[in-house]
Amino acid sequence: MTTSAASPTPSPPRPAAAGFDDTWVVVPLFCEATVIAGVVQGLREQFAHVVCVDDGSTDASADEAERAGAVVVRHAVNLGQGAALQTGIAYALRDPRTRSVVTFDADGQHRVEDAAAMVRRLEDEDLDVVFGSRFLDRRTELDRLKKVVLRAAVVYTNRTTGLRLTDAHNGLRVFSRRGAQTLRIRHNRMAHASEIVHQVGRSDLRWAEQPVHVLYTDYSRSKGQSVLNSINILVETLLG
């Protein structure tokens, strides 16, 4: 099902093989036609509801996502990942059955099993936010410079938010309905990650970090997971 950002209450997608039926997975999508079908199919093995926000793609990303079983919401022009997340979260919250919302990248670097474990932890510990962290164990392989830049961004974010995170810029997160309703993402570009942390820090939301394994491939690096992209994140964090 394809819809606009102003869609009414979501309709149930085609049944998934198994999994969480009160969770929506929000996938910001921009020019990922070669991999998005596999990402959606993997998610649908565990999660009944996946919404891809096509952020002005110029390829067949939206069609591939829809054929794989996702609901697709379209931005007419590219607005940035922050805007895509806000659109997707707002869409998910229109469903009165939604109890939790997952944010998940479109390029195949996040693992479905990590998302599922984070949702279970959110429910078991009565949390509002679970942040995925690449730095709580040693499974994620990062270039040394990228690691230094990301840790510098974390130090700055922690000092300005009052939170004590190990990884502030990981796109894999889970929110309770209350947590998702609290968010007002106004930074359209990469600074939205710091903005989310700021908003959680100013609230009374209950949060935790969960170790996750992020899979960096040649493809994901070519799509922006480079050292240069990490430096851009740091600059946007400092200027945001």
Side-chain angles (χ1 to χ4, degrees):
M1 180 178 70
T2 303
T3 184
S4 69
S7 172
T9 302
S11 301
R14 294 186 298 275
F20 304 90
D21 59 4
D22 54 6
T23 299
W24 276 87
V25 182
V26 175
V27 182
L29 177 61
F30 181 68
C31 294
E32 303 281 7
T34 59
V35 296
I36 189 58
V39 170
V40 171
Q41 289 164 0
L43 284 166
R44 297 266 293 144
E45 292 178 2
Q46 292 270 356
F47 297 96
H49 308 298
V50 179
V51 56
C52 292
V53 181
D54 183 61
D55 192 32
S57 294
T58 55
D59 63 5
S61 291
D63 293 338
E64 292 292 332
E66 189 171 23
R67 277 195 289 267
V71 174
V72 175
V73 178
R74 294 178 185 263
H75 286 169
V77 297
N78 179 251
L79 298 177
Q81 192 175 78
L85 285 173
Q86 185 63 54
T87 295
I89 291 168
Y91 183 90
L93 290 175
R94 292 190 185 111
D95 185 345
R97 299 161 296 184
T98 300
R99 293 185 59 194
S100 57
V101 177
V102 178
T103 65
F104 197 95
D105 286 356
D107 59 8
Q109 67 176 8
H110 291 157
R111 302 194 315 155
V112 177
E113 53 264 49
D114 286 334
M118 291 165 70
V119 173
R120 285 192 289 267
R121 183 174 180 187
L122 186 96
E123 296 174 348
D124 291 346
E125 299 182 19
D126 195 24
L127 299 168
D128 293 304
V129 187
V130 178
F131 295 99
S133 175
R134 292 162 283 192
F135 300 120
L136 287 175
D137 60 29
R138 298 183 177 181
R139 289 177 296 166
T140 300
E141 296 182 4
L142 289 165
D143 295 334
R144 181 172 297 179
L145 180 56
K146 182 181 179 73
K147 184 182 294 186
V148 168
V149 172
L150 288 174
R151 287 193 180 277
V154 168
V155 170
Y156 177 81
T157 301
N158 285 349
R159 286 180 178 176
T160 57
T161 64
L163 297 188
R164 290 294 177 266
L165 297 176
T166 62
D167 192 352
H169 293 85
N170 188 340
L172 182 53
R173 318 171 187 88
V174 179
F175 301 92
S176 68
R177 185 178 188 91
R178 175 173 176 259
Q181 288 172 328
T182 300
L183 296 179
R184 297 291 184 273
I185 303 174
R186 297 180 177 86
H187 285 282
N188 290 345
R189 302 294 169 180
M190 298 309 295
H192 73 272
S194 296
E195 184 181 26
I196 289 171
V197 177
H198 276 267
Q199 292 183 16
V200 172
R202 291 197 304 265
S203 72
D204 62 349
L205 298 175
R206 300 174 297 275
W207 63 273
E209 279 191 297
Q210 176 87 4
V212 299
H213 184 192
V214 175
L215 305 171
Y216 291 108
T217 64
D218 290 341
Y219 175 81
S220 69
R221 290 187 179 95
S222 74
K223 295 293 292 186
Q225 298 300 329
S226 62
V227 173
L228 179 60
N229 189 60
S230 300
I231 293 172
N232 289 336
I233 289 173
L234 179 59
V235 171
E236 286 196 28
T237 298
L238 296 175
L239 296 180

